Amino acid sequence: MGDAVFVSGADRDPADPEPVADSKATAAFGLGLLAAVTGPAVGGIVPATIALALARQAREELRTGEGWRTGAGRVRWAERLAWLGLALAGLSLVALTVWLFLRGVHFGTQDFPPTVD
């Protein structure tokens, strides 16, 4: 998360504000992390979607912030973790579908008890 850009003292005006971390970038990173953790349980779809939306907004704020907002690294990791959460959720859904399909398919003949016609 070392994405802070430091401007040397000679280049900065004393009246300039200090660079500040973008709160949407931090929130997107937290949601992306939550999505990656809960992705295998399919619960990661919602935080991943929100993280991707916040990351897009944070990237735009960083672009318009002209270097006074930091958090580009958090935005990159938020997007990576959100996509990982979505991929894990997708894999879980595919695995569940395959497992249910294979569980429902019976190979061989059905053995009924002798009391059944």
Side-chain angles (χ1 to χ4, degrees):
M1 289 195 231
D3 58 351
V5 177
F6 294 103
V7 181
S8 66
D11 295 340
R12 287 192 58 195
D13 188 298
D16 285 344
E18 290 293 320
V20 63
D22 189 67
S23 59
K24 285 185 183 177
T26 305
F29 177 75
L31 286 168
L33 188 61
L34 180 65
V37 170
T38 60
V42 187
I45 294 173
V46 173
T49 306
I50 297 170
L52 288 172
L54 280 177
R56 183 172 31 91
Q57 293 172 5
R59 186 175 303 281
E60 184 60 33
E61 286 182 1
L62 291 174
R63 189 174 302 124
T64 60
E66 298 176 356
W68 299 110
R69 289 179 180 256
T70 61
R74 283 187 297 272
V75 171
R76 277 191 303 274
W77 275 104
E79 290 172 339
R80 291 175 185 167
L81 290 170
W83 283 113
L84 175 67
L86 286 173
L88 289 173
L91 285 174
S92 293
L93 287 174
V94 167
L96 179 65
T97 303
V98 168
W99 180 73
L100 287 175
F101 176 74
L102 291 177
R103 187 170 173 243
V105 175
H106 299 288
F107 298 103
T109 60
Q110 179 68 37
D111 231 7
F112 290 107
T115 58
V116 175
D117 287 339

